[in-house]
Amino acid sequence: MDSAAAPAPEPAMPRRLLPVLGLLVLAPVCAEYLIGYDQIIGRPLELLSGLLVLAPLYGTVAVLIRETARRTGRGWPTILLLGAAFGLVEAGLVDQSLFNPDFVAEPSWDQERMPTFLPVPGVSVKQLLGFVAGHVIWSFAAPIAVVEACVPRLAGRPWLGRAGTAVVVVLYVLAVVVFTHEHTRTFLASPVQLGVTAVAVLALAAAASLLPRRLVSGRVTSRRAVSPWVAGGAAVVLLAVHQLAPSTWTGTAVDIAALALGGVLLLWCSRGAGWGGHHVLAVAGAALVVNAALSFAVDPLGEVSLPVKYAVNTALTVGVLVLLAGAHLRVRRAGSRGGPGAGAAPRSGVRAGAVSTTSDIRNSGIRDGRTGQPS
């Protein structure tokens, strides 16, 4: 038998567990810490201990979404749809911030919520857009892309077996129970609100599972893909526009336009010849870099020592840059070697739209990757 046709050997367990652990940590860091919205940014030791509760809430979902997509042979369309589904679970069913008018006891909450508030469903269109799109990018897609870039030869493979997956599921369920209990002690959304949210979650999950696998690779054209620098630069611009759009109907329209344009451009660019791991990393890295840069302009909730805040902002920014530089070297090294897994994210490049956080840098209370609130 031709050795080239033989299946690649299964990577050793430690090699597969390292990226799992990395994703468990990076997802909550991107979702909660990188933007520096909360007073915990001034307490570094609490940032570390907070990962013990945030990793089961964010990191486990990122791992499960990725495992589902890779095990079923699907790619970024499935990851994005599942990210949207879990974003609705978090904001609509777990902490219910999507419906709670007093979720944050600060004027910035109403300033962001009320201009696009719809009384009948009891939701703010701006917050709905921010929560869902923010989860898709900050909590799930960007961390998945960056961690996969760090291990390009394992990027297209599952990392967990049945036992590992079961452990991750249990951790997530426990986190959901704890956070739901905590956030519903003083507020509970109506049965209609919860029911409609649950239906939307199931619809997104069904769409993710029904996507034809041909959408994973797409149709490669003879047109050459843009350079990674162009892809990343465009993502930075669109992210900046999206972040700075005000919490008005006009601002929300700008948000939607930025996300839609980002999705169209990514779909178009990713079908060009030569689109690969460097491009995916550039787009995902742009999300992290923009959030890290904006953190210096964010006024955290509560009393915070500014020197400590800026020190933590700097440490996180440096950490992001070092991580992206290392991932870039790993992707380049894997591409130069060729063979199985080289540039493993190449043909499944990010296909849809970019990012979300908040409306107003200083006043809208930038929270986590959803742009919405602390969890």
Side-chain angles (χ1 to χ4, degrees):
M1 177 182 292
D2 187 353
S3 60
E10 186 72 12
M13 178 63 71
R15 288 188 63 198
R16 289 186 285 120
L17 286 183
L18 283 176
V20 171
L21 295 175
L23 189 51
L24 284 172
V25 172
L26 186 60
V29 168
C30 292
E32 291 283 353
Y33 294 166
L34 194 56
I35 196 66
Y37 74 90
D38 191 57
Q39 60 185 351
I40 195 177
I41 198 70
R43 300 194 287 269
L45 293 180
E46 289 189 26
L47 289 175
L48 294 175
S49 62
L51 291 175
L52 296 176
V53 293
L54 294 176
L57 186 66
Y58 293 110
T60 55
V61 175
V63 170
L64 291 173
I65 288 174
R66 186 206 166 274
E67 289 295 297
T68 299
R70 299 313 179 210
R71 284 191 177 278
T72 59
R74 293 179 170 88
W76 287 103
T78 291
I79 289 174
L80 296 174
L81 284 172
L82 289 178
F86 276 104
L88 277 178
V89 169
E90 172 64 22
L93 301 178
V94 177
D95 64 30
Q96 300 181 19
S97 54
L98 185 60
F99 307 112
N100 189 348
D102 302 311
F103 190 83
V104 175
E106 290 235 348
S108 61
W109 184 255
D110 283 339
Q111 291 169 8
E112 183 180 49
R113 183 172 184 265
M114 295 310 297
T116 59
F117 181 73
L118 299 177
V120 174
V123 300
S124 162
V125 176
K126 174 66 177 180
Q127 287 187 335
L128 175 62
L129 178 66
F131 291 171
V132 175
H135 265 311
V136 169
I137 298 300
W138 302 117
S139 301
F140 308 130
I144 289 171
V146 171
V147 173
E148 284 194 339
C150 291
V151 287
R153 293 181 177 275
L154 300 179
R157 302 184 181 192
W159 294 338
L160 293 175
R162 292 182 180 178
T165 301
V167 170
V168 172
V169 169
V170 169
L171 287 174
Y172 176 64
V173 170
L174 291 175
V176 166
V177 170
V178 171
F179 276 83
T180 302
H181 173 73
E182 176 66 22
H183 287 290
T184 57
R185 289 187 300 176
T186 58
F187 174 86
L188 185 64
S190 72
V192 173
Q193 290 173 324
L194 296 175
V196 171
T197 302
V199 170
V201 168
L202 293 175
L204 288 167
S209 65
L210 294 175
L211 282 176
R213 286 178 173 82
R214 63 183 175 84
L215 287 181
V216 175
S217 58
R219 178 184 299 173
V220 181
T221 67
S222 59
R223 168 181 46 80
R224 184 165 182 79
V226 300
S227 77
W229 286 104
V230 172
V236 166
V237 172
L238 289 173
L239 285 171
V241 171
H242 178 63
Q243 297 256 26
L244 298 173
S247 297
T248 61
W249 284 111
T250 300
T252 301
V254 171
D255 272 358
I256 294 172
L259 291 172
L261 179 59
V264 170
L265 289 176
L266 283 169
L267 180 62
W268 182 79
C269 291
S270 65
R271 291 185 174 181
W275 178 274
H278 280 116
H279 297 82
V280 178
L281 177 62
V283 174
L288 272 60
V289 168
V290 168
N291 241 16
L294 290 176
S295 69
F296 291 91
V298 170
D299 188 11
L301 301 174
E303 296 294 327
V304 177
S305 167
L306 290 182
V308 176
K309 164 195 153 51
Y310 289 125
V312 174
N313 292 151
T314 301
L316 289 172
T317 300
V318 171
V320 163
L321 295 177
V322 170
L323 176 63
L324 294 178
H328 168 76
L329 292 176
R330 298 279 294 181
V331 172
R332 185 174 66 178
R333 191 174 303 161
S336 65
R337 290 174 181 171
R347 282 308 315 147
S348 53
V350 177
R351 297 299 179 85
V355 206
S356 166
T357 45
T358 68
S359 37
D360 185 282
I361 297 300
R362 302 287 295 184
N363 297 321
S364 63
I366 295 182
R367 313 285 190 249
D368 62 9
R370 298 157 297 168
T371 44
Q373 68 281 340
S375 293

